[in-house]
Amino acid sequence: MPELPEVESLRLSLEPRLEGRSFDRIIVRERRLRQSVPVSLETELPGRRIDAIARRGKYLLIHAGADTLLIHLGMSGSLRWQALGSAPRRHDHVDFVLGGEVLRYHDPRRFGLIAWCPGTGTDHPLIASLGPEPLEPGFDGAWLHRMSRGRRLAIKALLMDSHWLVGVGNIYASESLFRARIRPTTVAGRLSLARCARLAEAVRDVLAEAIAAGGSTLRDYVGSDGTPGHFQKGASVYGRAGEPCRVCGTAIRQIRLAGRASYWCPHCQR
DNA sequence: ACGGGGGCCTGGCGGC
DNA sequence: TGCCGCCAGGCCCCCG
């Protein structure tokens, strides 16, 4: 469930505690994540100076020397600081030991990813195939309009395609479309330039506000200090089927779109 | 090339 | 009370 704001919140919290330091030891209890956790992680990473913590889409890139630790939380992953020696619990798959503490990777569903890749990680196939960042310059209404021409799928499905645009998952796709007053089922290629401009602005605003709030509280998400974020309290439509729209009072509807639950207000969104 | 759907995996919840 | 089926999320892969 972690989307871009959650991963960015995590990156910000890790940065001051990791930069310039190095892991003493890596302990892997379970290798079976989305990809098998490579043994080179334990042999290569310890002792290396951590130079920077970056984010690309929902991936964390921890640059250590010439190489890079790649982490993706999947749907249920989390990284939390715990005291060295505290007993690992079920689904605590990997420990990154640093000083008197452990940065512990926990992931019940094991959809996450921990990889050790040579170089900066940007040429890793998973990273190289990603679309642009919604919070970087270049993502605007004109880009969205140009890049959606000829696409016949629903705009919500397109927004959630990380090879097209990164960072927008199921929650923020619904929230952004509500903010832009566009129905999730609208065929992407038929959106006018004006509506694309509204949508681009809505995506940026929703993501920026969620980052400012420390990420969503939805489902399993917790920050690296164990405290939940606060965004979901302010959700306009996500998870609110049958409840009144906060703007007009009309009952929020839920449909299934490309296999995902989608929420929208039939009055506000056209 | 494009779009839809299934699979991965587990915990939590609703229904019987 | 217990069990069973369904659902959630991100991403990859396969199919038409």
Side-chain angles (χ1 to χ4, degrees):
Chain A
M1 110 63 226
E3 299 187 25
L4 185 150
E6 290 76 19
V7 180
E8 180 62 16
S9 297
L10 177 61
R11 188 192 74 76
L12 286 166
S13 74
L14 290 178
E15 205 163 44
R17 301 183 68 165
L18 290 182
E19 236 174 57
R21 305 179 72 192
S22 62
F23 294 119
D24 303 311
R25 196 155 68 98
I26 313 297
I27 301 165
V28 180
R29 287 182 209 85
E30 173 61 83
R31 291 190 191 280
R32 295 175 301 162
L33 302 185
R34 173 152 51 112
Q35 292 181 359
S36 181
V37 178
V39 176
S40 55
L41 179 73
E42 295 113 291
T43 59
E44 295 295 315
L45 180 53
R48 292 218 195 189
R49 184 193 136 93
I50 297 165
D51 300 313
I53 322 285
R55 179 190 58 75
R56 182 75 176 87
K58 297 170 189 169
Y59 290 86
L60 278 178
L61 292 90
I62 299 178
H63 299 294
D67 305 313
T68 303
L69 167 62
L70 211 59
I71 299 179
H72 191 292
L73 301 177
M75 296 207 260
S76 59
S78 63
L79 277 171
R80 291 183 58 176
W81 289 103
Q82 297 187 340
L84 185 58
S86 68
R89 299 203 280 191
R90 190 162 148 81
H91 307 307
D92 284 347
H93 304 314
V94 179
D95 284 356
F96 298 89
V97 181
L98 197 162
E101 287 180 298
V102 171
L103 185 61
R104 189 160 268 169
Y105 181 78
H106 175 88
D107 187 358
R109 274 158 270 189
R110 291 196 275 117
F111 285 2
L113 174 95
I114 296 179
W116 176 249
C117 43
T120 60
T122 49
D123 51 357
H124 189 288
L126 291 171
I127 301 295
S129 62
L130 293 175
E133 294 278 336
L135 294 177
E136 296 289 318
F139 172 70
D140 58 15
W143 180 89
L144 208 156
H145 186 255
R146 177 163 35 92
M147 295 301 288
S148 60
R149 293 310 88 185
R151 302 297 299 268
R152 297 184 194 179
L153 76 173
I155 182 58
K156 177 166 178 280
L158 187 57
L159 278 181
M160 291 176 61
D161 179 357
S162 63
H163 300 292
W164 191 78
L165 179 74
V166 298
V168 183
N170 203 35
I171 301 171
Y172 296 113
S174 280
E175 292 298 305
S176 301
L177 286 161
F178 174 77
R179 177 105 40 139
R181 309 194 306 280
I182 295 167
R183 294 197 178 190
T185 48
T186 307
V187 173
R190 296 187 170 250
L191 283 170
S192 69
L193 178 57
R195 280 152 72 78
C196 285
R198 232 159 61 205
L199 181 54
E201 188 182 2
V203 167
R204 297 181 72 112
D205 289 352
V206 164
L207 292 177
E209 285 168 26
I211 291 170
S216 168
T217 60
L218 200 77
R219 305 275 180 258
D220 316 320
Y221 178 75
V222 288
S224 63
D225 59 355
T227 58
H230 306 288
F231 183 80
Q232 203 211 348
K233 292 170 191 161
S236 297
V237 288
Y238 187 84
R240 298 191 64 237
E243 295 176 35
C245 170
R246 297 190 202 284
V247 171
C248 74
T250 304
I252 299 300
R253 290 205 196 151
Q254 176 180 356
I255 49 164
R256 248 189 133 64
L257 196 51
R260 299 280 173 226
S262 310
Y263 302 86
W264 55 291
C265 171
H267 180 262
C268 294
Q269 293 172 260
R270 296 288 164 181

